[in-house]
Amino acid sequence: MGKQIDIGRVLANLPLFQQLREGEIANLAAGTREIGLGKGRILFQKGTLLEGFYVVVRGQIKLAFTSPQGNEKVVSLVGPGQSFGEAVMFMERPCPVMAQALEDSRLLHIAKQGIFAAIDHDSAFARRLLAGLSMRLHGLIQDVENYSLRSSTQRVIGFLLQLAGTPGSGSVIFELPASKHVIASRLNLTPETLSRILHSLIESGLITVHGRRIVVQEMARLSQFDDLPHPPCAKGG
Amino acid sequence: MGKQIDIGRVLANLPLFQQLREGEIANLAAGTREIGLGKGRILFQKGTLLEGFYVVVRGQIKLAFTSPQGNEKVVSLVGPGQSFGEAVMFMERPCPVMAQALEDSRLLHIAKQGIFAAIDHDSAFARRLLAGLSMRLHGLIQDVENYSLRSSTQRVIGFLLQLAGTPGSGSVIFELPASKHVIASRLNLTPETLSRILHSLIESGLITVHGRRIVVQEMARLSQFDDLPHPPCAKGG
DNA sequence: TCGGGAACTTGATGTAAATCAAGGCACGAT
DNA sequence: ATCGTGCCTTGATTTACATCAAGTTCCCGA
């Protein structure tokens, strides 16, 4: 079923390109190529120079780095409608991470030439790009905050609450966006630790788990869950 | 000696504003105010909405977040000529970190209005902003990489090598940009651990330390230093 | 229906770094 | 001199999480 994609239409529906004029969409589309990527295939390795950025149309892409010892750390999971690689494109430096398809995926590659032209013609577009990069930066800061001053349990809870979305209390059901192995890496945990934490949340009656399907019994209670046996006392700054 | 600052001149010398035309510099300067901040004073708390961004003229600013338990994590140390807060300004969301002066400091606050005007008039300026944010994003990714898959010793070595600058081998001398307490937090370590690591580097003859003054005896040897008693074996992905 | 393997769980053990607890040491005020 | 008061170091102990090592369960293909 190699359904042909209407590149212009897909581009026009991306939040980033919303208010762009037709001529500019066409211009972008001219520099855009479609990429199919089978599950497990690597799109680019760490160190690559990017001549544009990518939009996920279908499937899921994992961004990760690998340590000299061969361990792997997932930085980001990118799903349909989301994009990646903009920052690397603007920096004109080797990409700090690798990109790999977690499922059979379909991507668009948008050449930087068209993006720069759109920036020149439409300063509102430039602002949207700036806002987009800023949001991404904000997400990374949150990651740093999570890694450096939250416990593993708190990180898992935060992740679940984020997936659950609606901050209103009550019970919510949803699916993990990837295998537990990948989720664990994203949260800077080993699969074993993630398994144990989920187990303890289940035992506390806060959630139930069937495969990737999670039911949060009550958001409010989950967000207040505190694990620490010896709460360390605050120190004035 | 409250020497008055020529705001226009300072702005024109910032890398970010290099090729801006005089009229635009004047426009920016009109929306810019000067801020003096005594050592230890807090510029803004986490959660503040920023109506512009800041440039450090003199002194040093620490960006950090605090955990509910009162612990503090330094995200960034900002020195003369560097700026911060752009991303928060573009996002129009509460700032995720707090900002505090580590020394008596002098800052400029540049209103977003002027920045947006400059973006509208000069797409090259927009591109420079995009590149700047991209670089910052890159720095954060490096931080995440360091925190999540480097040991504490490797983080310290990486930090020292970065301060030492010139990748050419040989001996280099420099000063730590802040107290060891602050450096430790920036590297996600306790002061005790940093002290022990520096001690072990000294014992290995790789560096010498007198207060904040560091001498790296030989860059090459320091960068190769490996501490791990049981190097874990690689696992294929 | 069966078999094989990936994904996940569970338990025992190990360890890097944090925490707790005293000291040294410099430097400025009295 | 002397007394403090931060800043840093050093040592003993604890701990959260990783690692190692078996099991389960589930799923998919033959």
Side-chain angles (χ1 to χ4, degrees), chain B residues 53-210:
Chain B
F53 72 96
Y54 298 88
V55 174
V56 177
V57 176
R58 215 192 58 207
Q60 188 179 42
I61 304 294
K62 157 187 105 179
L63 304 181
F65 28 59
T66 48
S67 76
Q69 289 88 33
N71 304 324
E72 191 176 274
K73 169 67 183 43
V74 175
V75 186
S76 182
L77 297 169
V78 189
Q82 300 182 299
S83 57
F84 61 98
E86 304 92 325
V88 177
M89 175 184 94
F90 286 118
M91 267 193 324
E92 322 236 356
R93 290 223 190 167
C95 187
V97 300
M98 62 90 103
Q100 184 181 25
L102 288 179
E103 314 166 1
D104 289 351
S105 302
R106 196 163 284 278
L107 311 179
L108 296 179
H109 177 272
I110 300 160
K112 67 176 169 186
Q113 182 194 333
I115 298 296
F116 282 138
I119 291 172
D120 289 341
H121 289 134
D122 182 356
S123 67
F125 174 66
R127 291 195 200 181
R128 245 171 293 134
L129 275 176
L130 285 164
L133 280 187
S134 297
M135 290 301 292
R136 197 140 323 163
L137 218 143
H138 187 244
L140 275 172
I141 293 234
Q142 298 232 100
D143 283 350
V144 170
E145 179 166 4
N146 285 330
Y147 298 150
S148 55
L149 40 76
R150 305 263 200 246
S151 74
S152 49
T153 301
Q154 289 172 316
R155 266 175 278 154
V156 172
I157 290 176
F159 185 74
L160 293 178
L161 288 173
Q162 200 173 320
L163 286 176
T166 64
S169 60
S171 90
V172 186
I173 185 171
F174 57 89
E175 289 217 349
L176 292 178
S179 74
K180 298 214 175 92
H181 172 83
V182 170
I183 301 291
S185 173
R186 174 73 246 272
L187 294 172
N188 226 14
L189 299 172
T190 57
E192 294 96 323
T193 300
L194 176 59
S195 180
R196 285 186 249 267
I197 288 170
L198 289 176
H199 181 81
S200 82
L201 294 178
I202 292 167
E203 275 200 328
S204 305
L206 292 166
I207 63 172
T208 60
V209 178
H210 294 295

Side-chain angles (χ1 to χ4, degrees), chain B residues 25-42:
Chain B
I25 293 281
N27 194 20
L28 280 178
T32 297
R33 70 175 202 274
E34 204 185 327
I35 300 171
L37 204 65
K39 175 174 175 170
R41 295 298 306 279
I42 289 176

